[in-house]
Amino acid sequence: MKPFMDENFLLQTETAQKLYHEHAAKMPIIDYHCHLIPQMVADNKRFESIAQIWLMGDHYKWRAMRSNGVNERFCTGKDTTDWEKFEKWAETVPYTFRNPLYHWTHLELKTAFGITETLNPTNARAIYDKCNEMIANDPKFCPRGMMEHYNVKVVCTTDDPADTLEWHKIVKDDPTAKTKILPTWRPDAGMNIEAATWKAYIEKLSAVAGVEIKNFATLNEALQKRHDFFNEMGCRLSDHGIEEFYDEPYTTAEIDAIMDKALCGQMPTVEEQRKYKHAYMHEQGIMDYNAGWTQQYHMNSLRNNNTPIFEKYGADVGFDSVSDEPCAKKLNLLMNEQEKAGKLPRTILYTLNPGANYVLGTTCGNFQTEAGIPGKIQFGSGWWFCDQKNGMEKQMNALSLLGLLSRFVGMLTDSRSFLSYPRHEYFRRTLCNLLGNDVENGEIPYEEIERVEQMVEDISYNNAKNFFKF
């Protein structure tokens, strides 16, 4: 029987162990998609407890706690102490066997705090106090220290086009900052014309850009100004969080009329909304291409399904699920439109629905047409509900069968926590185990082991470094 989470955790063969310890483990991290708060990095925030680092904004843990019968006040509530929230998480942990949270929890305790005990209600207070003492006395547990500890070279946050990026500038201008903190363009608010907040958002964007937005041309003018500003601040990626794609044909005159209707406070019809979103996404891709950026599409998420909770606590608190909305035809149409215009940017496709893995894997292959850019269209890593061993293996197996795993840009955290970097270790161990098993099963020749070793280092770090050109 193997011990829990020893040095060869998830590594089933000697070849896998060698690939991880001698190659993957030494590579730095590029976290090219996350939801960290830039101000915390700029201020190098001093956290008061492990609960603040670990449980604040972590809807993964909140979902597990709710499933364990924990009262909502210990998740999103403001009337409980840090200790009470930590205690409820510790009570939940022994019920998370086979959930990736069990592995993540103990990887984080081990790699950040050197704690190898498994967390449970009996030792919760001792672990809580030990972690808090370390947090209070060691600057390693400030945001910049944690990123340095995990050898993180680049972090890309998620930012609205109207954002001032003032916190990014503070870090950019600080010669002591060892990790680059770059913005990512997330233009969803301007696309969601059906939202009650859309008109107010357009007014805000208009003021920030210094452009009176009255039609589609002036909207794109305002967005282009902000796009240029983001580019100056080091941005090299956009990101779209969407449930589906759109294929309704449109004309510019139609989009102008739809915008005029919405700006007057009237709700566009569903067909009009879809036409507008189709036009918006097409133009966004062209902006990205012209700037040399990579566009990201995060698809198949159905968000905010619990209305009472949404009305009380807002979005991103853990009431989202996988969507089964078909995407193959409409996604291919959008990318083909950009390809026909000669403006298809580097692209990463993520799905929350593993049933769409082959859809995305084959779609990538349809548009690998630009010589000199290996893996121009990427099938993105297992995301959100799929960023665990089983989901990552399914994604990498599909990519291996339908494309080139060797050109994969690898893992990201998609996290709001500065302690989430062991997810890269988790991914790298899973990757090395897949390849190590293939070598030992005779499916990859051992004579090619140096190529396999290089492949591991590339997927862990080099491919992302070369692809994004930060």
Side-chain angles (χ1 to χ4, degrees):
M1 181 184 299
K2 292 186 66 176
F4 175 67
M5 203 169 281
D6 66 359
E7 64 176 8
N8 292 322
F9 174 59
L10 300 182
L11 305 171
Q12 298 172 330
T13 63
E14 289 185 12
T15 303
Q17 293 162 14
K18 180 180 178 182
L19 288 173
Y20 176 73
H21 293 300
E22 298 182 15
H23 299 279
K26 70 180 183 181
M27 303 306 291
I29 289 174
I30 292 179
D31 190 19
Y32 58 88
H33 175 72
C34 74
H35 299 278
L36 296 176
I37 299 173
Q39 184 177 356
M40 289 186 178
V41 183
D43 294 342
N44 207 22
K45 178 180 173 62
R46 295 304 297 258
F47 295 98
E48 296 176 5
S49 74
I50 185 176
Q52 291 184 10
I53 305 175
W54 232 14
L55 298 172
M56 184 175 60
D58 193 338
H59 51 76
Y60 289 83
K61 291 187 178 74
W62 294 345
R63 284 174 70 98
M65 291 163 71
R66 293 175 188 128
S67 296
N68 201 40
V70 173
N71 190 289
E72 185 64 31
R73 59 192 289 264
F74 296 102
C75 300
T76 52
K78 306 296 184 184
D79 63 339
T80 52
T81 66
D82 287 355
W83 159 245
E84 288 172 321
K85 290 179 177 179
F86 184 88
E87 182 181 33
K88 292 300 181 184
W89 172 238
E91 291 173 4
T92 300
V93 168
Y95 293 91
T96 63
F97 291 156
R98 305 201 85 241
N99 186 300
L101 285 165
Y102 194 80
H103 288 163
W104 294 347
T105 292
H106 293 104
L107 272 177
E108 290 166 12
L109 285 174
K110 181 178 180 179
T111 60
F113 298 96
I115 293 172
T116 56
E117 300 173 68
T118 55
L119 179 63
N120 58 62
T122 302
N123 62 15
R125 187 75 216 194
I127 288 177
Y128 181 76
D129 290 342
K130 179 178 181 180
C131 290
N132 289 351
E133 181 181 2
M134 295 174 71
I135 289 168
N137 295 305
D138 190 340
K140 180 182 81 174
F141 295 99
C142 294
R144 298 190 196 185
M146 284 184 274
M147 290 187 287
E148 291 172 20
H149 172 69
Y150 286 111
N151 198 16
V152 183
K153 298 299 184 184
V154 181
V155 168
C156 297
T157 58
T158 303
D159 310 281
D160 185 90
D163 197 302
T164 64
L165 304 184
E166 59 189 292
W167 308 113
H168 294 82
K169 188 175 189 308
I170 289 173
V171 179
K172 181 181 179 182
D173 293 344
D174 186 345
T176 67
K178 296 181 181 178
T179 303
K180 287 186 178 181
I181 309 297
L182 304 179
T184 295
W185 175 265
R186 181 74 173 250
D188 296 357
M191 186 177 83
N192 295 332
I193 197 169
E194 79 284 3
T197 55
W198 182 82
K199 184 174 181 291
Y201 176 77
I202 294 300
E203 292 170 353
K204 177 182 178 181
L205 178 65
S206 178
V208 172
V211 175
E212 182 184 1
I213 299 174
K214 54 188 177 181
N215 53 30
F216 196 48
T218 50
L219 172 62
N220 284 320
E221 181 185 352
L223 287 167
Q224 185 64 66
K225 282 194 171 185
R226 300 305 299 165
H227 203 277
D228 292 343
F229 170 64
F230 269 59
N231 191 65
E232 292 171 6
M233 291 296 294
C235 180
R236 295 296 178 267
L237 294 98
S238 70
D239 178 46
H240 304 259
I242 53 177
E243 182 185 348
E244 59 176 317
F245 291 88
Y246 309 94
D247 62 357
E248 287 74 11
Y250 62 87
T251 65
T252 301
E254 285 180 305
I255 303 304
D256 286 343
I258 293 166
M259 285 189 62
D260 185 63
K261 184 176 181 179
L263 289 169
C264 290
Q266 302 175 49
M267 179 63 70
T269 67
V270 172
E271 183 179 7
E272 288 172 337
Q273 294 170 24
R274 297 178 69 86
K275 286 176 181 284
Y276 170 81
K277 291 181 178 184
H278 184 181
Y280 188 96
M281 291 181 71
H282 176 72
E283 293 299 323
Q284 287 294 298
I286 290 175
M287 284 187 197
D288 291 348
Y289 179 87
N290 289 338
W293 290 7
T294 298
Q295 66 180 359
Q296 299 175 95
Y297 292 132
H298 285 85
M299 64 195 83
N300 296 123
S301 58
L302 191 62
R303 299 175 185 267
N304 307 316
N305 297 288
N306 187 320
T307 302
I309 292 290
F310 177 70
E311 291 174 348
K312 187 172 183 179
Y313 297 106
D316 303 321
V317 295
F319 292 88
D320 313 301
S321 61
V322 174
S323 169
D324 57 359
E325 187 72 30
C327 62
K329 183 177 179 181
K330 296 171 186 177
L331 169 59
N332 275 276
L333 182 142
L334 177 65
M335 296 180 70
N336 191 49
E337 286 178 344
Q338 294 172 352
E339 178 87 344
K340 288 192 297 183
K343 300 285 187 177
L344 176 64
R346 292 179 178 87
T347 302
I348 308 179
L349 306 175
Y350 309 84
T351 179
L352 204 56
N353 186 348
N357 280 357
Y358 274 39
V359 171
L360 268 58
T362 53
T363 297
C364 290
N366 294 337
F367 300 101
Q368 306 282 22
T369 56
E370 192 163 347
I373 306 182
K376 176 182 176 180
I377 313 300
Q378 291 274 331
F379 177 16
S381 63
W383 163 52
W384 199 345
F385 297 122
C386 300
D387 63 355
Q388 26 66 17
K389 181 175 180 287
N390 180 264
M392 292 188 297
E393 287 178 344
K394 286 182 177 179
Q395 182 269 340
M396 286 190 281
N397 283 330
L399 175 55
S400 299
L401 293 170
L402 304 170
L404 295 178
L405 180 63
S406 298
R407 293 300 187 179
F408 181 30
V409 293
M411 191 55 178
L412 43 81
T413 64
D414 189 35
S415 175
R416 291 167 171 79
S417 170
F418 292 95
L419 278 183
S420 291
Y421 293 108
R423 293 186 190 180
H424 284 261
E425 175 179 338
Y426 196 69
F427 166 81
R428 292 175 183 185
R429 287 176 179 271
T430 302
L431 167 68
C432 291
N433 192 58
L434 284 176
L435 294 174
N437 286 348
D438 283 351
V439 171
E440 299 219 3
N441 289 338
E443 297 177 55
I444 294 176
Y446 185 77
E447 291 75 17
E448 296 287 344
I449 192 63
E450 290 185 6
R451 174 72 200 99
V452 178
E453 293 165 351
Q454 184 63 57
M455 180 179 177
V456 165
E457 295 184 10
D458 288 346
I459 296 171
S460 298
Y461 176 74
N462 296 328
N463 286 349
K465 179 183 177 182
N466 296 329
F467 189 79
F468 298 119
K469 302 183 184 303
F470 294 122

